[in-house]
């Protein structure tokens, strides 16, 4: 297993193991996080573990043109069940994501260090949040990293039914011309129901590299 030093580098992709781990260690500095996302790598680890960096061989993504909106979700929008904002409550969104219950997951991977690191990226204009409101209460949302043509989604939460799903649909519909790809990282039934699908990692990298070559 490749252990990162203080040097601002990541190993070659052939270092990825069968689970999708490419490296361990390092830090959560803005420079390292930005480099990681430019390479399609992201951190995901438990609080008691060292930082674990991932590069899944099958990438779960949504092409905006494949967004699926069910009849029940169309009714949510017709009824104007929620209102939406962007970058108005980033820290509240990531904190709620850290506290959200995840099936088959013991505890949270969004540690205090992760929260502070991504709040720094938000202050730099790189990390962005979408907020979903109901009666002036924050009831859902998600956050991620803006990589130009690609939006790298990180985590979402919902305190009431359909809140995170509605926020995601509204976001994709609004920015379908800006983002060629929404990175959802790994499979979830929740996002699969909206049209997300798995693609090979080398195809995903083509989108990232094309974005950076502009």
């Amino acid at each position: 297993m490749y252990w990162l030093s203080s040097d601002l580098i990541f190993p070659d992709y052939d270092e990825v193991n069968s689970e999708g781990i490419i490296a361990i260690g390092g830090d959560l500095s803005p420079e390292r996080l930005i480099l990681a996302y430019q390479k399609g790598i992201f951190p995901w680890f438990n609080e008691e573990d060292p930082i674990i960096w991932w590069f899944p061989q099958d990438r779960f993504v949504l092409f905006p043109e494949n967004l699926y909106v069910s009849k029940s979700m169309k009714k949510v929008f017709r009824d104007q069940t929620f209102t939406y904002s962007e970058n108005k409550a980033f820290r509240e969104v990531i904190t709620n994501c850290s506290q959200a219950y995840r099936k088959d997951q013991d505890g949270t991977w969004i540690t205090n260090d992760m929260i502070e690191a991504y709040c720094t990226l938000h202050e730099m204009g790189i990390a962005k949040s979408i907020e979903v409101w109901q009666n002036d209460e924050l009831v859902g949302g998600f956050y991620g990293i803006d990589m130009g043509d690609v939006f790298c989604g990180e985590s979402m939460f919902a305190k009431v039914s359909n809140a995170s799903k509605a926020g995601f649909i509204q976001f994709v519909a609004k920015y379908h011309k800006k983002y060629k790809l929404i990175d959802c990282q790994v499979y979830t039934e929740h996002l699969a129901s909206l049209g997300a699908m798995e693609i090979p990692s080398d195809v995903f990298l083509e989108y990232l590299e094309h974005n950076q070559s502009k």
Side-chain angles (χ1 to χ4, degrees):
M1 185 61 64
Y2 190 98
W3 281 83
L4 297 176
S5 67
S6 58
D7 295 334
L8 197 61
I9 60 171
F10 282 98
D12 293 335
Y13 295 114
D14 56 13
E15 294 282 347
V16 178
N17 69 11
S18 59
E19 294 179 303
I21 298 173
I22 191 170
I24 294 177
D27 54 55
L28 295 173
S29 67
E31 295 80 11
R32 191 180 297 276
L33 284 170
I34 292 169
L35 177 62
Y37 283 98
Q38 288 174 341
K39 291 179 169 292
I41 298 168
F42 59 89
W44 187 21
F45 59 101
N46 293 322
E47 189 162 15
E48 66 274 11
D49 295 332
I51 302 170
I52 303 176
W53 301 89
W54 299 79
F55 181 76
Q57 293 305 291
D58 292 315
R59 200 71 173 221
F60 196 54
V61 305
L62 175 76
F63 294 98
E65 62 268 23
N66 292 342
L67 177 67
Y68 174 74
V69 184
S70 66
K71 289 182 179 179
S72 61
M73 287 307 302
K74 288 178 180 178
K75 184 176 186 303
V76 167
F77 285 100
R78 283 198 307 271
D79 294 345
Q80 298 183 337
T81 304
F82 306 112
T83 57
Y84 312 92
S85 62
E86 299 177 24
N87 298 317
K88 299 297 185 185
F90 184 91
R91 183 175 289 273
E92 290 86 345
V93 168
I94 191 171
T95 299
N96 274 280
C97 287
S98 75
Q99 298 167 351
Y101 169 76
R102 315 285 179 188
K103 185 179 179 181
D104 301 324
Q105 183 174 314
D106 182 19
T108 181
W109 57 271
I110 305 175
T111 65
N112 288 334
D113 287 344
M114 288 278 279
I115 290 174
E116 295 307 319
Y118 282 82
C119 282
T120 297
L121 289 181
H122 173 64
E123 292 167 2
M124 296 169 63
I126 297 169
K128 300 184 181 299
S129 62
I130 302 299
E131 300 91 23
V132 183
W133 307 86
Q134 189 174 54
N135 300 323
D136 296 325
E137 178 185 355
L138 183 65
V139 295
F142 64 93
Y143 72 97
I145 305 298
D146 188 332
M147 296 298 294
D149 289 347
V150 176
F151 184 84
C152 302
E154 274 296 311
S155 186
M156 56 176 54
F157 81 97
K159 292 184 176 180
V160 300
S161 180
N162 294 321
S164 62
K165 188 177 287 189
F168 186 79
I169 291 171
Q170 189 270 347
F171 173 78
V172 175
K174 180 177 180 179
Y175 290 110
H176 69 280
K177 292 184 178 179
K178 172 177 171 57
Y179 298 118
K180 291 182 170 60
L181 190 70
I182 311 294
D183 176 26
C184 306
Q185 298 180 345
V186 295
Y187 177 89
T188 67
E189 186 176 335
H190 184 69
L191 292 174
S193 70
L194 295 174
M197 59 185 288
E198 287 184 332
I199 62 173
S201 59
D202 57 346
V203 176
F204 174 69
L205 284 178
E206 289 178 5
Y207 281 88
L208 280 179
E209 291 168 357
H210 177 265
N211 176 59
Q212 294 168 39
S213 66
K214 291 182 177 180

